Amino acid sequence: RSFFAASAVTDNLLFAHVRSYRLIHDIYKKNGFGLPFISVAKNMQAFEPCRDIFKDKLAAYLRSRSFNFRFIERARRRKALDFIGINYYSRSLVEVGKWSIDSLINDTCQKGHKPLKKNSLGWDIYPEGLYKLLLRLKKFRLPVFILENGFCGQDDALRWEYIKKHLENIHLAISGGVNIIGYLYWSLMDNFEWDKGFGHRFGLVRVDYLDQKRAPRESAGKFAAVCLRGQLE
């Protein structure tokens, strides 16, 4: 609701992170432990201009710079990241109305341009966005760990398609020189989504909330096969 209030919150989060990072490293050194591996889980979106015009391109650039990279850049300058942890799910299609700070920060396409498949929350499925973000992280010269990436919905075939396409784009990023050290699917089991409740199903394993029984979905077996072999068909 307020760009300036959000900036103040970010400043406080950064201060807390840097101080905690140094305290933890000091504790490990004093006790003769091996060095810890500390980072944050930074949620990122692919901000894409809806139209090939300066206004949309500028807004997409500013949002990506502020939302995706500002915290990472500042933490990196303070030498408070051992790797970069990111969460990625979707894109934001930027279409700016009038020339104003509010529009540049908030306006999105409301006309259904450039339609993509969506999950049950209405989020666009855009694996290419993860590839683009990973390439931009290369400049920080730190390992990258994808800590969250996943699909919610009842269509398990679409869940597997989501996973496969994102893994293909991660492979492309690795081929492009990005040092990716891990990938975690969200989530192993259906879960309580903090602002949505139990209705949206992210799990590789289905949970019956009445009796708590678990049943692996077909996507779980396919993902397990990739993990076991280290290969995509």
Side-chain angles (χ1 to χ4, degrees):
R1 298 182 182 182
S2 167
F3 178 80
F4 299 104
S7 294
V9 171
T10 302
D11 290 343
N12 290 331
L13 287 169
L14 181 68
F15 173 81
H17 170 74
V18 172
R19 188 171 181 185
S20 300
Y21 177 95
R22 291 172 181 164
L23 283 169
I24 294 168
H25 270 266
D26 286 345
I27 290 168
Y28 272 64
K29 287 177 184 176
K30 288 176 183 176
N31 287 278
F33 301 148
L35 289 177
F37 212 45
I38 300 169
S39 185
V40 297
K42 179 68 188 79
N43 187 44
M44 293 190 175
Q45 286 187 56
F47 293 95
E48 297 285 333
C50 180
R51 302 164 296 180
D52 189 21
I53 62 174
F54 177 72
K55 190 161 46 176
D56 288 2
K57 291 179 179 179
L58 175 64
Y61 169 78
L62 292 174
R63 290 181 209 185
S64 187
R65 180 69 185 271
S66 175
F67 183 81
N68 290 329
F69 298 107
R70 183 167 174 259
F71 189 96
I72 298 296
E73 288 170 348
R74 295 172 69 192
R76 175 65 170 147
R77 282 200 300 268
R78 289 162 175 77
K79 299 182 179 179
L81 293 174
D82 298 320
F83 68 99
I84 297 172
I86 71 168
N87 302 344
Y88 176 81
Y89 290 93
S90 185
R91 75 169 181 181
S92 178
L93 193 58
V94 178
E95 185 177 21
V96 178
K98 57 187 178 181
W99 279 104
S100 69
I101 295 296
D102 184 64
S103 291
L104 285 170
I105 293 172
N106 294 311
D107 285 1
T108 57
C109 177
Q110 303 298 318
K111 303 180 182 103
H113 296 150
K114 301 182 180 179
L116 296 171
K117 293 179 182 179
K118 300 179 185 295
N119 67 14
S120 63
L121 285 163
W123 301 348
D124 289 338
I125 297 173
Y126 189 57
E128 298 88 347
L130 177 57
Y131 169 72
K132 293 176 183 178
L133 287 167
L134 290 171
L135 286 187
R136 289 188 65 183
L137 290 171
K138 184 179 174 181
K139 68 179 181 180
F140 295 108
R141 298 183 180 180
L142 285 171
V144 179
F145 200 144
I146 298 146
L147 298 170
E148 281 190 33
N149 175 247
F151 170 86
C152 65
Q154 298 292 344
D155 187 345
D156 194 52
L158 187 53
R159 175 178 288 101
W160 171 243
E161 180 183 324
Y162 180 102
I163 296 170
K164 187 171 185 291
K165 292 295 183 183
H166 281 81
L167 291 177
E168 287 172 352
N169 277 274
I170 291 167
H171 175 72
L172 284 175
I174 293 171
S175 300
V178 185
N179 181 15
I180 297 170
I181 57 173
Y183 170 88
L184 299 178
Y185 176 81
W186 182 272
S187 168
L188 173 63
M189 297 186 294
D190 291 332
N191 62 287
F192 179 85
E193 193 63 16
W194 72 274
D195 66 337
K196 298 290 189 290
F198 290 105
H200 299 279
R201 305 281 185 147
F202 275 96
L204 293 168
V205 176
R206 184 185 182 278
V207 177
D208 187 324
Y209 292 120
L210 294 177
D211 60 16
Q212 296 299 309
K213 289 182 179 178
R214 275 77 160 150
R217 294 184 166 100
E218 188 175 347
S219 58
K222 291 179 177 180
F223 183 51
V226 173
C227 296
L228 184 66
R229 294 194 306 267
Q231 292 180 333
L232 274 171
E233 292 295 339

